[in-house]
């Protein structure tokens, strides 16, 4: 019992010493008010929208065939550079040559028949003028001659068609460009009964590409021709490519209830880094101005109060919806300003304060024993208030 009493006497002495030290050291330390300031400066303000798109050649042509047959010869492969009119493939021509010869034979037969009917009609015309044949016989000879003329015209068209089909068996490039894809091999049969079989896809100029981006309906209102664009591709993550909006297409596309519009963007490709089919992550700058006098947007939201600045500062307020604050000695002074555009982080100042003026953006209260602010999160590992343990 005597031992326990000595412990409590020691605890009491230590507690009294701690209270005395706190009292004579001035109690709690005085709070220090610090202000964050930023200058009114000229900056570049811009608004942008983002989208994804696909790299495509500006001009690409699908080359097919209008006649059926076996692919006899291919003269190009993937990535082959071709010139307009260059032969790139040939189909087997055996049946087409046979059809042409048959059409020529029919034409020769029709011309012979026409010549005979012409002479026959001439004889009947002489006889009819002398009254030696009836009008019915004369009209019959005339009709036969007229029909033979029509048969010659028809036979000539058949020859012309057969010649054209024979020409289709030689496939030529319609443009100067590069072969992007090849869909057939030698020996393969192609059938052109219902549609034109695709043989090749040729891109005209890979140094001049375009991005076709899908822009959301909520953003399309600000997108216009001539706006600056930057984009990246996964193949070159460190490179930023430049472009310009060249077309905003009116047709809407709906996918999973999301409406988008196609925007075409120029993509110069002198170094041939951009390849058809790459996915582009696009940023379209819908509004952009340089050299704009502006302040951080949080300066317009800053509002000092007596509770936040303490008694050592005087607040000098003013009328106006938009205002910024400056610190002049111990006076926090408001300045009404007229604002313009904003990009979210900065806001244009049209009038009310000059360049290089320092505006207040935030108050920081410094002190060792300052409790956390109501909106400030406290670490779960910080010590809590002392517990009141009473001995029963």
């Amino acid at each position: 019992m005597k031992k326990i009493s000595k412990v409590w006497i020691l605890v009491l002495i230590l507690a009294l010493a701690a209270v005395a030290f706190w009292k004579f050291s001035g109690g709690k330390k005085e709070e220090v008010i610090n202000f964050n300031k930023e200058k009114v400066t000229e900056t570049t303000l811009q608004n942008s929208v983002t989208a994804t798109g696909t790299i495509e050649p500006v001009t690409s042509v699908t080359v097919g065939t209008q006649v059926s047959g076996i692919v006899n010869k291919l003269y190009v492969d993937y990535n082959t550079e071709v010139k307009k009119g260059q032969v790139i493939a040939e189909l087997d021509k055996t049946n087409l040559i046979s059809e042409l010869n048959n059409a020529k034979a029919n034409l020769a037969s029709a011309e012979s028949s026409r010549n005979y009917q012409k002479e026959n009609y001439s004889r009947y015309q002489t006889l009819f003028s002398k009254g030696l044949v009836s009008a019915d016989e004369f009209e019959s000879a005339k009709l036969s001659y007229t029909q033979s003329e029509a048969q010659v015209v028809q036979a000539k068209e058949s020859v012309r068609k057969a010649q054209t089909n024979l020409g289709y068996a030689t496939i030529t490039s319609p443009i100067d460009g590069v072969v992007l894809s090849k869909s057939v091999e030698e020996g393969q049969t192609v059938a052109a009964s219902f549609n034109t079989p695709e043989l090749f896809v040729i891109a005209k100029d890979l140094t001049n590409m375009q991005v076709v981006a899908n822009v959301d309906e909520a953003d399309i209102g600000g997108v216009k021709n001539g706006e600056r664009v930057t984009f990246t591709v996964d193949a070159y993550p460190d490179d930023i490519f430049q472009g310009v909006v060249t077309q905003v297409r009116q047709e809407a596309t709906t996918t999973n209830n999301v409406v988008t519009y196609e925007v075409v963007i120029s993509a110069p490709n002198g170094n041939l880094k951009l390849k058809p089919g790459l996915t582009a992550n696009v940023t379209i700058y819908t509004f952009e101005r340089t050299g704009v006098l502006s302040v951080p947007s949080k300066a317009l939201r800053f509002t000092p109060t007596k509770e936040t600045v303490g008694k050592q500062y005087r607040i000098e307020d003013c009328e106006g919806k938009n205002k910024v604050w400056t610190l002049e000695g111990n006076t926090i002074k408001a300045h009404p300003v007229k604002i313009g555009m904003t990009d979210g982080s900065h806001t244009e100042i049209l009038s009310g304060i000059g360049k290089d003026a320092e505006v207040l953006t935030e108050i920081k209260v410094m002190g060792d024993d300052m409790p956390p602010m109501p909106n400030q999160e406290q670490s779960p590992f910080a010590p809590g208030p002392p517990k009141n343990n009473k001995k029963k």
Side-chain angles (χ1 to χ4, degrees):
M1 194 71 179
K2 192 182 277 188
K3 186 177 180 181
I4 295 175
S5 300
K6 289 181 180 179
V7 171
W8 279 106
I9 292 171
L10 180 60
V11 171
L12 180 61
I13 292 171
L14 292 175
L16 291 173
V19 171
F21 176 79
W22 178 82
K23 182 176 180 181
F24 290 108
S25 64
K28 83 172 179 179
K29 293 185 178 180
E30 184 179 354
E31 297 174 359
V32 178
I33 306 297
N34 287 337
F35 295 93
N36 285 353
K37 306 173 187 177
E38 292 197 38
K39 284 187 176 182
V40 181
T41 58
E42 291 183 353
T43 58
T44 297
L45 297 184
Q46 56 190 18
N47 289 327
S48 62
V49 299
T50 58
T52 58
T54 305
I55 306 292
E56 297 179 1
V58 174
T59 302
S60 62
V61 178
T62 300
V63 180
T65 175
Q66 290 184 276
V67 294
S68 302
I70 298 173
V71 179
N72 192 42
K73 194 71 177 176
L74 291 178
Y75 297 103
V76 296
D77 204 344
Y78 292 93
N79 301 334
T80 302
E81 294 185 3
V82 295
K83 298 293 183 181
K84 183 177 180 179
Q86 177 181 335
V87 177
I88 56 179
E90 286 185 351
L91 302 182
D92 181 71
K93 300 178 181 179
T94 303
N95 292 336
L96 297 173
I97 292 173
S98 177
E99 291 177 2
L100 176 59
N101 291 335
N102 187 50
K104 287 180 177 179
N106 291 336
L107 174 60
S109 175
E111 288 177 338
S112 296
S113 177
R114 187 269 316 273
N115 292 338
Y116 168 77
Q117 295 296 340
K118 182 178 180 181
E119 293 295 331
N120 189 53
Y121 170 64
S122 180
R123 287 193 298 270
Y124 268 87
Q125 191 175 30
T126 301
L127 293 173
F128 180 70
S129 64
K130 295 179 179 181
L132 299 177
V133 294
S134 64
D136 184 60
E137 290 174 317
F138 171 70
E139 292 296 332
S140 179
K142 182 179 180 181
L143 176 62
S144 296
Y145 171 59
T146 302
Q147 289 175 336
S148 66
E149 285 281 7
Q151 289 173 351
V152 169
V153 173
Q154 185 177 7
K156 285 182 178 180
E157 290 300 321
S158 296
V159 171
R160 195 172 291 115
K161 180 180 179 181
Q163 288 175 332
T164 301
N165 287 339
L166 181 60
Y168 286 150
T170 301
I171 313 299
T172 60
S173 174
I175 58 173
D176 295 345
V178 177
V179 178
L180 293 185
S181 69
K182 181 185 70 171
S183 304
V184 293
E185 297 293 341
E186 290 185 0
Q188 183 175 336
T189 300
V190 292
S193 302
F194 302 103
N195 52 20
T196 302
E198 178 182 312
L199 305 182
F200 306 95
V201 175
I202 299 176
K204 185 174 183 180
D205 183 10
L206 293 183
T207 63
N208 186 25
M209 305 287 277
Q210 66 183 14
V211 180
V212 180
N214 296 312
V215 178
D216 190 87
E217 61 177 326
D219 300 325
I220 196 65
V223 180
K224 298 179 180 60
N225 288 0
E227 291 176 341
R228 186 173 72 91
V229 178
T230 60
F231 63 93
T232 60
V233 294
D234 291 341
Y236 306 99
D238 297 328
D239 292 348
I240 298 178
F241 300 90
Q242 303 289 332
V244 174
V245 175
T246 59
Q247 186 182 56
V248 180
R249 293 177 177 170
Q250 300 297 324
E251 183 182 9
T253 302
T254 303
T255 305
N256 296 328
N257 295 324
V258 177
V259 179
T260 59
Y261 292 83
E262 288 187 343
V263 175
V264 182
I265 300 158
S266 66
N269 190 33
N271 53 15
L272 298 179
K273 282 188 172 182
L274 298 175
K275 302 182 184 302
L278 288 177
T279 299
N281 302 305
V282 176
T283 301
I284 304 172
Y285 296 94
T286 56
F287 194 96
E288 193 170 25
R289 283 177 58 190
T290 59
V292 176
L293 195 67
S294 66
V295 297
S297 296
K298 58 185 178 181
L300 293 162
R301 298 190 294 268
F302 174 82
T303 303
T305 63
K306 278 293 182 182
E307 291 75 16
T308 57
V309 302
K311 298 178 179 179
Q312 65 268 41
Y313 293 100
R314 186 171 66 89
I315 298 176
E316 187 177 310
D317 205 346
C318 68
E319 297 293 330
K321 179 180 178 182
N322 299 304
K323 63 185 75 173
V324 294
W325 302 79
T326 61
L327 181 61
E328 301 176 6
N330 288 335
T331 301
I332 303 174
K333 184 177 181 180
H335 302 265
V337 293
K338 185 177 180 181
I339 63 174
M341 63 168 292
T342 180
D343 63 359
S345 61
H346 287 79
T347 300
E348 180 182 13
I349 297 297
L350 300 176
S351 63
I353 196 166
K355 183 180 178 182
D356 293 331
E358 290 188 330
V359 296
L360 303 181
T361 61
E362 189 179 4
I363 293 176
K364 287 190 175 180
V365 181
M366 307 297 292
D368 290 344
D369 56 352
M370 285 296 298
M373 298 299 288
N375 61 347
Q376 181 179 350
E377 293 185 2
Q378 188 171 2
S379 171
F381 301 103
K387 296 180 180 179
N388 186 16
N389 294 327
K390 292 185 179 179
K391 189 176 180 179
K392 294 184 180 179

